Amino acid sequence: MIRTHACGEVSAKDAGKEVTLCGWVDTLRVTGKISFLLLRDRTGIIQIFLDTGLTEKYQHDLKKESVVLVAGIVHKRPENQVKKELKTGSIEVAAKKLELVSAAETPLPIDVIEDTTTNIDKRLDYRFLDVRREQVKHIFLVRSKIYSKTVEFFEQAGFVAVQTPKLTASGVESGAEEFKIPYFGKTASLAQSPQVYKQMFVVSGLEKVYEIAPIFRAEKSHTTRHLTEFTGIDFEMGFIKDEHDVMQVVEDYFKFLLNEIKKSCKEELQYLGVPVDIPKSIPKMTLGEARKILKEHGKTLPEDEDPDAEAEKLIGDYVKKKYNSDFVFVLDYPWKKRPFYHMRPENNKKITKSFDLLYKGVEIGTGAQREHRLDVLEAQAKEKGIDFKKMSFYRDIFRFGAVPHGGIGLGLDRITQQLLNLPNIREAILLPRDPERLTP
Ligand code: 4AD
Ligand code: MG
């Protein structure tokens, strides 16, 4: 490695030692003939003292965001001169040698400062520079942990990780538009859900499967919560009694996840100013009950309609007040709005054994018990006007011994957005794809 230490790792314990550091120029302050360089890498910022000679030689080269290599001696600061705003505030490095590794052009195309005034579109054009900002970096450190802790949860819970095709013949997720692409004289669709495959591999005898993978939706929506490519966290499990078994796993997952994030992302959460409330249990309400509550709050939600963003927000606020919970399961979505593969209760064919999970008033997941009885499934497809014959490989799943099963599709981007209270889902993904954006 070209450095002995990362910038944020040097501490008073290293006083007197020679260290070699390498990072980006955060700021250079020249005072008279000497200067102070704030050098930054992923771990933090450290102050470097440059004497007259080094200042004279380098002050015009050390443009913000250039990469420099510095060798120098660590000095402990006197107690009354500790810089509280820096993690390394108790020390300073007196440079002996300096080397410009890679110069940054000026001017920078976006503000690489915490209180940026650059708009989000421009920031996304130069996302790699934007990520150099502490705020943004912390978001992606938390997202990374959400990802790894999710894997940890499902592994511990005995689920099998699967990777299913993203190039498919046709989707099963009714209502979600597909991206069509040429495929050797045929037309393929980019997977808008692993739905078919996760059911297939429960029935295969793997029993409990999960997949964390990209999902593509050709939705021309310009909202703060929709992308055309996002990361789905999907799981599916067999031998369930009903959809409540699925909800139990979802509840266990979020308790585990939030606990772990709280423990392992202390610094990030503190920097971002985000408190994390862990639910003791997740309250449940039917969509019928939600409709009544909405009515009381002046919002009419017609039967057979899904809650819109405003309705979800109202429901979220209501459960926060009533149960002090950031989460709520809303049950029994109308058959009219749900895909044909959702199971319906025996005594009410107008609803499905489905649920949405709302987190701080935004849908982050949709789940259900699936219909595994072929005759019922066929009848349901017919009712929805779907030609089941064209989906023979999906139909086959239920022909040779299919167990009762259910699952959920969650969105990693939305979970990150809601956990960190981000105003736009584009803040929660490195390189968002939406109807207007296909680069970088
Ligand atoms: O609600 P959706 O469309 O449900 C399914 O895909 C079903 N197969 C799930 C199931 O197993 N029954 O998508 C699931 C989740 C949403 O709740 C949301 O978190 C996320 O995926 N999602 C999106 N995230 C970002 N941009 C979009 N356009 C999204 N569409 C769905
Ligand atoms: Mg949904």
Side-chain angles (χ1 to χ4, degrees):
M1 299 296 282
I2 57 178
R3 59 186 187 184
T4 58
H5 291 71
C7 297
E9 283 168 9
V10 186
S11 71
K13 279 195 272 183
D14 302 305
K17 266 196 214 159
E18 179 167 338
V19 294
T20 305
L21 307 169
C22 191
W24 289 270
V25 174
D26 196 71
T27 40
L28 179 74
R29 191 160 44 86
V30 182
T31 45
K33 293 195 158 174
I34 56 160
S35 49
F36 297 93
L37 162 65
L38 291 183
L39 191 69
R40 186 192 70 234
D41 66 17
R42 199 181 91 186
T43 61
I45 292 176
I46 191 166
Q47 180 162 299
I48 315 280
F49 171 77
L50 305 183
D51 63 15
T52 318
L54 287 172
T55 300
E56 243 171 44
K57 192 165 172 199
Y58 287 107
Q59 63 171 305
H60 300 296
D61 290 339
L62 300 184
K63 300 280 190 274
K64 183 166 168 58
E65 300 310 315
S66 294
V67 176
V68 290
L69 188 74
V70 182
I73 306 293
V74 180
H75 291 290
K76 200 166 168 214
R77 281 177 203 277
E79 213 60 60
N80 59 351
Q81 282 176 36
V82 168
K83 288 195 160 211
K84 292 225 168 61
E85 70 277 16
L86 292 183
K87 197 160 99 184
T88 56
S90 63
I91 48 114
E92 179 181 272
V93 171
K96 280 169 61 183
K97 219 174 78 190
L98 205 143
E99 184 191 323
L100 182 65
V101 176
S102 172
E105 288 179 22
T106 51
L108 294 167
I110 64 165
D111 287 345
V112 187
I113 49 171
E114 285 313 280
D115 297 318
T116 179
T117 54
T118 310
N119 71 42
I120 183 161
D121 267 319
K122 196 79 193 275
R123 284 172 43 216
L124 292 172
D125 287 341
Y126 293 93
R127 190 56 146 169
F128 68 96
L129 284 179
D130 192 42
V131 176
R132 290 190 194 167
R133 297 168 49 229
E134 291 289 298
Q135 175 99 21
V136 181
K137 178 188 80 184
H138 282 106
I139 292 171
F140 291 100
L141 295 180
V142 175
R143 182 177 159 129
S144 170
K145 269 286 183 289
I146 296 175
Y147 175 86
S148 62
K149 293 296 173 185
T150 298
V151 171
E152 197 175 317
F153 172 82
F154 284 107
E155 292 294 322
Q156 278 178 8
F159 282 76
V160 179
V162 294
Q163 291 80 37
T164 65
K166 303 306 151 207
L167 286 168
T168 65
S170 78
V172 71
E173 209 49 67
S174 28
E177 293 299 321
E178 298 163 48
F179 283 110
K180 301 280 191 195
I181 52 163
Y183 195 75
F184 307 113
K186 293 188 200 142
T187 302
S189 296
L190 294 179
Q192 14 92 300
S193 164
Q195 187 61 39
V196 178
Y197 300 116
K198 56 181 186 160
Q199 291 187 253
M200 185 182 279
F201 291 105
V202 166
V203 170
S204 78
L206 292 181
E207 297 188 13
K208 293 158 80 166
V209 299
Y210 75 103
E211 178 168 11
I212 305 173
I215 289 188
F216 304 92
R217 302 268 169 106
E219 287 166 298
K220 214 160 184 199
S221 19
H222 296 84
T223 75
T224 54
R225 50 155 98 179
H226 287 94
L227 299 164
T228 50
E229 177 179 350
F230 64 94
T231 300
I233 301 173
D234 271 89
F235 78 78
E236 199 75 18
M237 55 198 274
F239 302 106
I240 61 168
K241 190 158 133 281
D242 55 33
E243 67 278 22
H244 294 273
D245 287 338
V246 179
M247 283 183 258
Q248 187 59 53
V249 176
V250 176
E251 182 179 301
D252 293 345
Y253 162 59
F254 277 102
K255 280 200 230 167
F256 173 84
L257 180 68
L258 297 186
N259 255 311
E260 292 294 314
I261 293 292
K262 216 172 166 165
K263 270 193 287 184
S264 55
C265 296
K266 273 205 187 93
E267 210 181 291
E268 291 83 356
L269 293 171
Q270 197 183 350
Y271 189 90
L272 296 167
V274 177
V276 175
D277 290 334
I278 300 162
K280 281 199 186 67
S281 67
I282 299 181
K284 294 175 183 175
M285 65 168 76
T286 63
L287 190 52
E289 285 160 357
R291 221 175 262 120
K292 272 196 210 126
I293 293 160
L294 288 170
K295 189 107 197 230
E296 281 160 22
H297 289 79
K299 168 117 187 151
T300 310
L301 182 69
E303 292 249 352
D304 288 343
E305 275 302 318
D306 275 354
D308 56 14
E310 188 197 4
E312 284 180 357
K313 176 86 178 63
L314 281 168
I315 297 168
D317 290 346
Y318 175 86
V319 290
K320 183 72 188 171
K321 227 161 131 190
K322 173 119 196 224
Y323 304 106
N324 192 27
S325 171
D326 286 340
F327 292 86
V328 60
F329 284 118
V330 182
L331 320 181
D332 300 350
Y333 279 73
W335 160 247
K336 235 187 177 160
K337 283 281 164 183
R338 289 284 138 142
F340 76 96
Y341 60 81
H342 281 194
M343 188 180 266
R344 291 189 278 186
E346 292 310 324
N347 58 1
N348 186 354
K349 298 295 168 202
K350 283 173 90 167
I351 59 169
T352 52
K353 296 177 72 161
S354 66
F355 58 89
D356 267 14
L357 177 62
L358 309 190
Y359 183 22
K360 299 179 186 170
V362 170
E363 178 206 320
I364 57 163
T366 292
Q369 174 162 13
R370 323 303 185 185
E371 185 50 71
H372 64 282
R373 297 162 296 183
L374 184 55
D375 53 335
V376 183
L377 190 61
E378 275 180 318
Q380 290 197 170
K382 200 166 163 199
E383 225 180 293
K384 288 268 185 193
I386 294 166
D387 187 357
F388 213 33
K389 288 203 190 68
K390 280 196 184 142
M391 302 175 72
S392 62
F393 76 92
Y394 186 62
R395 188 175 173 276
D396 285 347
I397 299 173
F398 308 95
R399 290 176 57 208
F400 309 102
V403 294
H405 64 283
I408 189 172
L410 296 152
L412 174 61
D413 317 86
R414 285 222 193 143
I415 294 172
T416 309
Q417 179 187 6
Q418 291 308 96
L419 173 67
L420 298 179
N421 302 329
L422 304 174
N424 192 324
I425 196 166
R426 290 162 184 78
E427 300 281 3
I429 177 168
L430 282 170
L431 297 172
R433 290 291 178 258
D434 62 36
E436 315 308 326
R437 181 174 286 279
L438 209 46
T439 55

